Structure formats: C-alpha cells, structure tokens
Amino acid sequence: MEGKIIFGKREAISLLIILICNQLILGFPSIMSNSVGSAGWILSIYVSILALCLFLIISKLYSAFEGKDLLDISEFAGGNIARIIVGLIVVIDSVLIISVKLREYTEHIKIISFTQSPVSFIMLFFALGMIISVHFGIEPLVRSTTIVLPIVAIGVVIVVADSVKNFELSNIMPILGTGPYDIFVGGLPRLSIFSGIISLFFIPPFMGGYKNIKKIGVLVITISGIVLTVGVLAYLLVFPYPVSSNNVLAFFELSRVLEYGRFFQRIESVFLLTWSLAGLLYLSSGLYFVIYVFSKTFKLKYYRPLIIPFTLIIFSLSLIPESLMEIMYLDNKVIRYYAWIVAFGLPFVLLSIARLVKRKRRGMAKNGK
C-alpha cells in the first residue's frame, strides 16, 4: 500500500462493530429464530461467549508476534508460498461474503422503497459509493464509522425501547426453543456471525501494539454480542415463533411497529437512511481490506488500480443468484455456515505453526552457539 496510516483504538472499535453488527439490520434475528426457534437469543449469547474464548486463545498465541499481521506471520512460518495461500483464502472468503451482503442490502432497499427498480440499478449506487470511499483510503473510512455508529446505535436503542410495549414473554417459550442439542451443538457454526473479527489481525501495522489489539477484540466481541442478543431478544418478544423465522426484513419489521402519535408515523423511513449508510460503510470497509490483503499478498506497491476490478468482481458475483431467497440460502446455509473456519480456525492453526517455527529457530540458534 502507499504508506502506513495510524488510527486509534476508538476508530478500530467502531469499524469492527460495524463489520459485525450490520447483520442485525439484515436478517440475523430471523436466522437465529430459524435455527433454534424461540431460543435464538440464547444461541446468540452462547456463540458470543464461545467467540470471546476462542479470541482470547488466539490473542495469546498472537502475543509472540507483536505488530505483525497474519500475512507477516504466514511468511515467517512458511515463506512466500504460505503468505500467498493465506492471503488468497482470506480474499476469496471476504469477496464471497461482501458479494452476498451487497445483494442483500440491495434487495432489502428494493422491497422497502424501490419496488419497480431493477436490482442492478440499485446495486450500482452501492458499487459507486464503495469505489469512491475506498479510493480515499482507510483513514476516512474509520473516521466515518465513528460518526455513523452512534447514529445507528441511537436508532437501534429507539426501536428496541419503543417495542417494549409489544413484548410478550410467552413468545420465548419454550425457553430452550427446539432443544439443547440444536443450541449447543448445531449452533456452533453460528460463530460465523463474528467472522468480521479476522480484520483485527490485519490492522496491527496501523495500530502499533499487541495490547491494543487484545483490548479491542475483547471490547468488540462483548459489545457486539450484547447488541446482537438484545436485538434478537426484542424481535422474538414481539414476533412469536414460527412467524419470527419467516420475516425477511426482521429488524425493519420491528421498527415498523413504532408510533409517536398522529404526526410521527412510518418512523422506519428515517432509520432506512442511516442503516443504508452503515451498509455502505460495511461494504466499503470490506472492499478495502480485500484489496489491502491482495496487495500485500503479492507485494504490490499501489492499491488504487485494484479498486474497480475487485468491485466489478463483487458486483458480478452479487448478480448470480436469481432471487432474495437464493441469496439468503447462500448466506445462511453455505457461506456464513463455514466462515468461522477462516475467521477463527485459520488464525489458530497459522499462529500455532508460527510459534513452533519460532521455537525451533531459537533452539537451532542456541545449539549453533
């Protein structure tokens, strides 16, 4: 890349929360309901705790490589070949996720506001926004997240608080939903909701310091887990199972119950603008990290020439599914079902190998003396 830019802990936390919690705006609550019924909020707590434990293990392994990102560590462990393999795995995984999310955002906006417009036409505006945002670099992106995140958070708080009057405790009964097995065994792949945390292992060169990385990760997973759990719980308390598992626009449906007298109706239209902006930041940040990883993988000096090609690839992949149902199936049952392997499995395996290599080299150095 064209030089290293340092940003602070606050910006990094805002960026990662956007990358993880954007799912609440999309179909996350209905996905959790579809997985375990009325116990979707318990599954959210379970995977949040599991993600935090795995992150602490990974961060412990990472402590021996302060200031390095995953590509630096992979090169240390296995040379150029290992760096290229790891880089391509992350790039392919991220491109697939971003293309799915681009289509989901587009489809949702089409359903809500632009019912007569072609999907490709709406998607074009997101693509142009991504190109412009990434062109200016990572620093403006992370600064923007610190501005947009509080606005989105206020919107979520308003939706949840105002929906309290519609809560029905009977909606979350039976408390274990479809059963303990579905929650604690079948729900393990739902770790993928925290797949955005892998971005944290690519920003040490921008941050400077292992301690910051560990604190940021713990805060992000904790805050995101609370937000997602509260959002799912509020949704399930308003919409009983199995109705809750069939809403395509889960959190938007929750916002539609808001009423503030005769002069303040259809409040969800206001939130749509802020949520669309959060979606654009998510997509733009994801595109930037894809290009950053690809550039560093192949040691390219400049990243801007890659912006349009990668945007076209993501745009084209987004158009392949024929319907929203198909794109949601791909997201829920395929990509997001296995994304946890890249987010948690890849760093764990790579760091474990790198520590063994480091220990072996130290031993050889001592024997040489």
Side-chain angles (χ1 to χ4, degrees):
M1 306 297 266
E2 300 171 354
K4 296 180 180 179
I5 302 169
I6 303 298
F7 51 80
K9 185 164 66 174
R10 179 186 172 191
E11 288 85 357
I13 292 172
S14 299
L15 175 65
L16 290 166
I17 289 177
I18 286 285
L19 290 176
I20 295 173
C21 291
N22 78 91
Q23 299 168 90
L24 186 62
I25 301 171
L26 299 174
F28 175 73
S30 60
I31 289 173
M32 300 302 277
S33 176
N34 189 55
S35 299
V36 292
S38 56
W41 64 282
I42 296 179
L43 177 57
S44 182
I45 294 174
Y46 170 59
V47 295
S48 298
I49 294 172
L50 197 57
L52 184 59
C53 293
L54 289 173
F55 175 77
L56 289 173
I57 294 171
I58 293 171
S59 63
K60 180 67 175 177
L61 294 171
Y62 178 75
S63 62
F65 303 94
E66 182 177 351
K68 297 182 182 295
D69 62 25
L70 284 185
L71 294 177
D72 297 326
I73 296 169
S74 61
E75 186 172 7
F76 171 82
N80 291 330
I81 294 177
R83 186 191 71 247
I84 292 172
I85 291 173
V86 170
L88 288 177
I89 289 173
V90 173
V91 166
I92 292 171
D93 178 68
S94 300
V95 164
L96 291 174
I97 292 175
I98 295 169
S99 63
V100 166
K101 291 304 177 185
L102 173 59
R103 180 64 180 272
E104 281 192 68
Y105 274 111
T106 303
E107 289 281 2
H108 289 176
I109 291 176
K110 176 180 172 64
I111 292 171
I112 296 168
S113 300
F114 300 95
T115 56
Q116 302 301 317
S117 301
V119 169
S120 57
F121 176 74
I122 302 172
M123 197 182 298
L124 183 62
F125 287 95
F126 275 113
L128 290 174
M130 292 161 64
I131 291 171
I132 294 170
S133 300
V134 176
H135 176 79
F136 287 106
I138 187 63
E139 188 173 13
L141 277 174
V142 296
R143 305 293 182 201
S144 299
T145 58
T146 59
I147 298 172
V148 173
L149 183 61
I151 299 173
V152 176
I154 290 171
V156 172
V157 169
I158 291 173
V159 171
V160 173
D162 194 72
S163 62
V164 170
K165 61 180 181 291
N166 298 308
F167 283 1
E168 290 288 344
L169 288 176
S170 59
N171 288 347
I172 58 171
M173 299 297 174
I175 198 71
L176 292 179
T178 57
Y181 180 85
D182 288 341
I183 297 173
F184 300 109
V185 180
L188 285 173
R190 295 302 166 194
L191 269 170
S192 295
I193 66 178
F194 291 96
S195 60
I197 200 69
I198 194 172
S199 301
L200 182 60
F201 296 105
F202 288 99
I203 63 175
F206 301 102
M207 292 290 300
Y210 158 74
K211 292 182 179 179
N212 280 340
I213 296 300
K214 184 177 180 181
K215 290 178 181 178
I216 289 169
V218 171
L219 276 172
V220 166
I221 293 175
T222 303
I223 294 171
S224 299
I226 293 171
V227 170
L228 293 173
T229 300
V230 170
V232 173
L233 181 59
Y235 174 73
L236 291 175
L237 285 168
V238 174
F239 297 99
Y241 181 80
V243 174
S244 58
S245 63
N246 296 321
N247 280 333
V248 176
L249 303 171
F251 209 72
F252 182 78
E253 290 293 334
L254 189 62
S255 69
R256 293 183 68 180
V257 304
L258 296 180
E259 287 186 5
Y260 291 99
R262 178 180 297 178
F263 300 102
F264 294 96
Q265 297 183 8
R266 299 304 302 267
I267 303 296
E268 72 275 6
S269 301
V270 178
F271 297 138
L272 178 62
L273 178 62
T274 59
W275 294 344
S276 298
L277 185 57
L280 178 59
L281 284 173
Y282 166 80
L283 295 169
S284 300
S285 301
L287 176 62
Y288 179 87
F289 277 109
V290 165
I291 295 172
Y292 170 78
V293 172
F294 186 87
S295 298
K296 189 164 183 179
T297 297
F298 294 99
K299 297 189 175 181
L300 304 177
K301 187 176 180 180
Y302 301 106
Y303 77 93
R304 288 191 174 94
L306 298 172
I307 296 174
I308 293 179
F310 269 102
T311 304
L312 289 175
I313 291 171
I314 291 169
F315 188 92
S316 302
L317 289 173
S318 297
L319 291 174
I320 293 176
E322 297 181 357
S323 65
L324 177 58
M325 291 299 102
E326 188 173 338
I327 200 71
M328 290 186 70
Y329 174 82
L330 288 172
D331 185 20
N332 186 27
K333 299 295 185 181
V334 182
I335 296 175
R336 286 292 184 178
Y337 206 77
Y338 300 102
W340 66 273
I341 298 174
V342 176
F344 294 98
L346 178 64
F348 177 79
V349 172
L350 179 60
L351 287 165
S352 298
I353 294 173
R355 285 183 74 101
L356 290 174
V357 171
K358 190 172 185 178
R359 189 178 302 171
K360 183 178 179 180
R361 290 180 182 178
R362 282 180 178 175
M364 292 174 63
K366 288 181 180 179
N367 292 332
K369 292 180 180 179

